Amino acid sequence: MADVHGKKVKLFTLNSNPDLAREIAEYMGIELSDSIITRFADGELNINISETVRGHDVFIIQSTSSPVNEHYMELLIMIDALIRASAKTVNIVMPYYGYSRQDRKALSRQPISARLVADLLEVAGATRVLSMDLHAGQIQGFFKIPIDNFEGAPIMVRYIKEKKLDDFVIVSPDHGGATRARKFAENFNAPLAIIDKRRPKPNVVEVMSIIGDVKGKNAIIVDDIIDTAGSVTEAAIALNHAGAKDIYVVATHPILSDPAIERLQNSKIKEVIVTNSIKLPEYKKISKITQLSIAKIIGQGILNIIDDKAVSDLFKYNPKNNF
């Protein structure tokens, strides 16, 4: 039994990102608890929890990255197993929230899948969700249970400050990300530029113009997700043509679907700075990609929740914090 500040706590990991789970456990000073995931002949999942969770506050580490549906089913089945085993609370630590980009109806007969996922988690029995840099802040309103939306910015800001770049501009890759980029720029008192683009179809990007002055400046593109890398590589081409010097990308979630790695490798981008919210296979760890760990900020967030302390202080860069 893990006793954390006088409370019975257990930390589990599923299959999406066990390395991150081990880092979080190490920061918190507890061991990961045991569970066994098996499959029936037809592919159905089964989970067996190897130790008692009765009366415990349980935290499950599971990013719902690719394969998204597989990881969601693992999570839903695990929640059900914990509820049936009399866990006191079931807290979902989901750094990357799969289906978060389907947060509204873009066309008349489309689903709002981000809301459906919220409903599934609640019905399964989750009592709290911890996520990071949700694609749209309004997703928090899809839940009736508490949800904490952590930010990767404190980790990214520290890394950029340690690089000691001079004369740089923060760039939003589109109008929708301007608020995120402006908030990031405030940490440096840096100017903001915005890429004016359009999407003729999904995963296809056309850059129309750049709003703001980037000539002769280092450019830092700020986004939440890199999927096929079309947006950031097209933005880098436009910035290069507009006279920007070195081009960097900061993004929390490295989905990096094909052909992202090839695009980034052949792009004008000098460095791509991401977090380990999503586990990267070895072939995606190219030299241009720097992956920063979110384990400490998530671990501290869990400790604050256990101690009934605020977590909002962790959402902002603070030079005194070692994140």
Side-chain angles (χ1 to χ4, degrees), residues 43-225:
E44 288 183 2
L45 292 167
N46 184 42
I47 291 179
N48 182 57
I49 299 168
S50 308
E51 53 197 80
T52 183
V53 295
R54 185 178 296 274
H56 286 70
D57 293 308
V58 177
F59 293 81
I60 312 168
I61 316 296
Q62 177 82 330
S63 269
T64 46
S65 50
S66 181
V68 182
N69 299 336
E70 183 85 2
H71 288 152
Y72 265 120
M73 281 307 299
E74 285 183 4
L75 181 56
L76 293 169
I77 293 170
M78 182 65 165
I79 295 169
D80 186 73
L82 290 166
I83 292 296
R84 294 177 188 278
S86 300
K88 181 181 178 183
T89 63
V90 179
N91 306 274
I92 312 306
V93 182
M94 186 192 295
Y96 174 66
Y97 187 108
Y99 288 102
S100 63
R101 287 172 285 181
Q102 298 183 43
D103 62 298
R104 67 194 185 283
K105 291 177 65 173
L107 297 173
S108 60
R109 289 177 292 278
Q110 287 186 335
I112 304 179
S113 303
R115 170 60 192 264
L116 174 62
V117 166
D119 290 342
L120 288 170
L121 293 171
E122 287 191 33
V123 170
T127 50
R128 176 184 291 270
V129 173
L130 289 77
S131 196
M132 177 168 277
D133 282 328
L134 290 168
H135 185 65
Q138 63 262 30
I139 290 173
Q140 296 173 86
F142 295 167
F143 288 88
K144 295 179 182 177
I145 58 175
I147 175 169
D148 297 300
N149 184 24
F150 285 77
E151 296 184 11
I155 303 161
M156 307 290 199
V157 168
R158 179 179 296 278
Y159 181 81
I160 296 295
K161 285 182 178 288
E162 289 174 351
K163 291 184 76 70
K164 300 187 184 301
L165 296 176
D166 59 349
D167 195 19
F168 61 87
V169 57
I170 302 300
V171 181
S172 172
D174 52 36
H175 291 278
T179 300
R180 180 184 300 106
R182 184 179 295 109
K183 189 175 179 180
F184 195 88
E186 289 171 355
N187 290 283
F188 306 94
N189 195 27
L192 179 70
I194 300 172
I195 304 291
D196 182 23
K197 71 178 185 184
R198 71 184 185 98
R199 288 187 182 272
K201 55 185 178 179
N203 294 126
V204 175
V205 175
E206 291 181 4
V207 172
M208 310 299 288
S209 62
I210 299 175
I211 303 168
D213 180 21
V214 300
K215 187 174 182 179
K217 299 178 183 292
N218 294 308
I220 302 175
I221 303 170
V222 176
D223 211 346
D224 61 328
I225 293 170

Side-chain angles (χ1 to χ4, degrees), residues 31-43:
E31 296 289 331
L32 284 172
S33 295
D34 291 328
S35 62
I36 300 170
I37 301 176
T38 57
R39 288 180 181 275
F40 293 101
D42 64 353

Side-chain angles (χ1 to χ4, degrees), residues 4-26:
V4 179
H5 306 167
K7 295 184 179 179
K8 295 190 294 182
V9 175
K10 295 221 167 157
L11 188 68
F12 288 90
T13 183
L14 298 174
N15 284 329
S16 71
N17 204 337
D19 292 341
L20 173 60
R22 282 188 283 269
E23 285 187 55
I24 292 172
E26 182 178 356

